[in-house]
Amino acid sequence: MALDSPQELNEPLHWPEGGSTRVPYRVFSDEEIYALEQEKIFRGPVWNFLCMEFDVAEPGDFKTTFVGETPIIVTRDRDGALHALVNRCAHKGALVCLKDKGNSPTLTCVYHSWNYTLDGRLRGLAFKNGVGGKGGMPDDFDMSQHRLQPLRVESFCGMVFGTFSDETPPVEDFLGKTMADFVRRNLGRPLKPLGVQSQIIHNNWKLYAENLRDAYHATLLHTFYTTFKVNRLDMDGGIIIAPDKWHHISYAKRKTLSEDDEYEKAEVHSAQYENKLEGPQLLETWDEFDDGITHSIQAFFPNLCIHFTLNSLCVRHYLPRGVDKTELFWIYVGYEQDTPEETEKRVMQVNLTGSAGLVSMEDGCINNFVQRGTKGSEDYNSFMEMGGRDDESSENSRATEAAIRGFWTGYRRIMEF
């Protein structure tokens, strides 16, 4: 049975005093809350990232993905229009597309050969009229009443989004002007794919959503960031939080580093090294923008991120695979206008991020530490007051958990907690 409101939980969730500065550990391990998220969030009034436009560039192209746990097919029809369809046959509910991607004039379910157009309409089925005048579908069977369930679909800056809701505003309005403008800064030119990585991380999807919004940890956990001065809290930077609190931007400017003695006083482990790279060309960059930003993390509700680190540009998409498992995709891109030398540098800098990246490999385990540490402690909660108790933008400091608090403000609103 689908859960439609928090009141249907067997044990109602009582959010602790302190609002978004406190998060009950129960939300990371409760199966009922996880099921409710599928209804309220992923099948609710939000835009879900589906794929990149270059994944379905040609007529007949299709790409399979998920909205939460719901399997989805993205197609481009003969006229060039994009469609998003639930990957579930209207007959018996079997998956229609079994491949990750491909090209086909129609979509056919292998189970009983029900065949669909690329916009999801039922085109035909085997033995509709029976055999030898016997069997087959009833006379009043109407093919127009049986189709693949459609989603609303929009594309923005090379990304394809889908929603189940008629109430979700257009993508740009959903993001807001500030967030949409920064997406254009990073993805507003014709894009080309450079590669994809994926990994399973053993934690609830919301722990990764927190991690992306946690500028506080980046200079502490990620030794490479601090040692090689890629991203530190003593660089100029800030946090921009959308008015609805769902989305945020964290940014830093590498050239404005002014080393702070707090790294020594606090004995920050990531600042205790004097290592040198045998391949220093890994950190060689060129200026792409006139704003001085050399590192940015832009996170979108519910499960999307765009990062720009030096010259590495990547779309991260993370999918819930259970209450304590998440699949994380790293989609690396460049610009069609890039020179071969620029493309080579972008590809080299993939070594900074991704499943085994010199910067980000720690994130593959740290959230599991939280998942394991909070197990059995569902009545306890986190404490997040770094930078204060509000969830407002902070354009002069990233030593704050404001963006995480913003995520939970938005989460509580849509979940009605």
Side-chain angles (χ1 to χ4, degrees):
M1 180 182 71
L3 299 173
D4 294 322
S5 70
Q7 286 70 36
E8 292 191 43
L9 296 175
N10 288 331
E11 295 183 20
L13 178 67
H14 300 290
W15 206 274
E17 292 184 11
S20 296
T21 68
R22 307 288 191 275
V23 176
Y25 293 144
R26 179 183 166 191
V27 300
F28 302 124
S29 58
D30 189 294
E31 295 282 358
E32 287 189 292
I33 291 174
Y34 178 79
L36 184 61
E37 290 168 350
Q38 301 299 315
E39 295 290 335
K40 289 281 189 178
I41 297 176
F42 296 103
R43 291 192 288 272
V46 303
W47 284 104
N48 297 272
F49 172 82
L50 300 178
C51 66
M52 302 299 292
E53 280 199 69
F54 54 61
D55 289 320
V56 285
E58 301 297 329
D61 282 353
F62 66 85
K63 174 79 172 70
T64 56
T65 183
F66 290 82
V67 168
E69 289 198 335
T70 303
I72 302 294
I73 314 166
V74 182
T75 67
R76 189 178 293 276
D77 68 22
R78 295 178 182 179
D79 298 323
L82 289 168
H83 304 275
L85 313 161
V86 175
N87 191 2
R88 182 187 67 236
C89 184
H91 178 216
K92 296 290 291 291
L95 292 174
V96 175
C97 281
L98 304 179
K99 295 181 179 179
D100 175 62
K101 61 190 305 183
N103 185 282
S104 177
T106 60
L107 305 172
T108 301
C109 177
V110 68
Y111 198 177
H112 297 94
S113 295
W114 282 41
N115 180 255
Y116 302 88
T117 61
L118 293 174
D119 63 1
R121 291 175 291 116
L122 182 60
R123 179 172 174 269
L125 58 144
F127 304 116
K128 175 177 174 290
N129 299 317
V131 179
K134 298 179 181 180
M137 288 294 184
D139 292 339
D140 61 356
F141 175 72
D142 184 355
M143 288 205 304
S144 69
Q145 299 303 307
H146 304 272
R147 59 160 298 144
L148 301 181
Q149 181 184 353
L151 287 72
R152 288 174 58 203
V153 64
E154 286 189 22
S155 60
F156 178 62
C157 286
M159 299 181 292
V160 181
F161 294 87
T163 180
F164 284 96
S165 174
D166 293 331
E167 300 174 5
T168 315
V171 169
E172 287 196 56
D173 294 340
F174 177 75
L175 298 178
K177 184 178 187 308
T178 299
M179 295 295 132
D181 286 348
F182 202 76
V183 174
R184 288 192 183 91
R185 177 226 192 240
N186 284 329
L187 302 182
R189 314 175 198 177
L191 302 172
K192 65 179 179 181
L194 298 182
V196 177
Q197 295 177 342
S198 68
Q199 66 187 117
I200 295 295
I201 50 179
H202 296 278
N203 54 261
N204 187 273
W205 70 274
K206 297 184 296 298
L207 287 172
Y208 195 73
E210 277 197 337
N211 184 271
L212 291 170
R213 292 163 172 82
D214 185 4
Y216 174 35
H217 90 281
T219 194
L220 300 171
L221 176 67
H222 299 309
T223 301
F224 194 95
Y225 262 160
T226 304
T227 302
F228 294 102
K229 300 178 175 58
V230 176
N231 175 30
R232 294 167 51 118
L233 291 182
D234 47 9
M235 294 173 178
D236 287 344
I239 305 284
I240 303 172
I241 300 173
D244 61 12
K245 312 304 179 185
W246 273 347
H247 324 299
H248 101 295
I249 303 164
S250 172
Y251 65 92
K253 301 180 179 182
R254 189 180 180 206
K255 290 184 179 179
T256 61
L257 174 66
S258 179
E259 297 193 38
D260 193 294
D261 61 5
E262 177 66 14
Y263 281 92
E264 297 298 328
K265 290 180 181 178
E267 298 183 352
V268 175
H269 73 89
S270 57
Q272 308 305 313
Y273 300 94
E274 295 295 335
N275 293 339
K276 295 183 179 180
L277 289 175
E278 290 189 14
Q281 63 271 25
L282 174 65
L283 300 181
E284 292 177 359
T285 65
W286 75 96
D287 293 333
E288 295 198 66
F289 305 99
D290 58 9
D291 54 17
I293 294 173
T294 53
H295 174 77
S296 66
I297 296 287
Q298 185 173 17
F300 309 91
F301 193 88
N303 57 337
L304 176 66
C305 169
I306 300 170
H307 84 234
F308 176 77
T309 300
L310 302 183
N311 298 111
S312 177
L313 186 55
C314 180
V315 176
R316 304 187 205 176
H317 181 215
Y318 49 105
L319 291 169
R321 297 300 196 194
V323 71
D324 58 359
K325 186 164 70 172
T326 300
E327 187 166 11
L328 171 58
F329 295 86
W330 307 76
I331 306 166
Y332 297 95
V333 300
Y335 303 129
E336 287 185 1
Q337 68 185 38
D338 286 346
T339 66
E341 293 76 20
E342 289 169 341
T343 296
E344 183 179 1
K345 285 187 177 181
R346 290 197 205 278
V347 171
M348 180 179 294
Q349 289 174 11
V350 166
N351 290 292
L352 293 172
T353 55
S355 54
L358 295 169
V359 170
S360 59
M361 61 180 173
E362 297 93 346
D363 290 330
C365 62
I366 196 65
N367 296 299
N368 177 246
F369 294 170
V370 179
Q371 190 77 39
R372 290 158 57 190
T374 58
K375 189 175 180 61
S377 302
E378 286 80 7
D379 293 335
Y380 290 80
N381 52 261
S382 60
F383 174 87
M384 295 183 296
E385 294 189 3
M386 174 62 69
R389 298 183 177 91
D390 63 27
D391 49 19
E392 302 299 324
S393 298
S394 173
E395 301 221 33
N396 57 5
S397 174
R398 288 173 296 134
T400 178
E401 293 168 309
I404 308 176
R405 295 190 289 268
F407 171 83
W408 289 111
T409 295
Y411 175 87
R412 292 180 66 194
R413 183 174 66 245
I414 196 169
M415 291 289 290
E416 302 180 70
F417 285 155

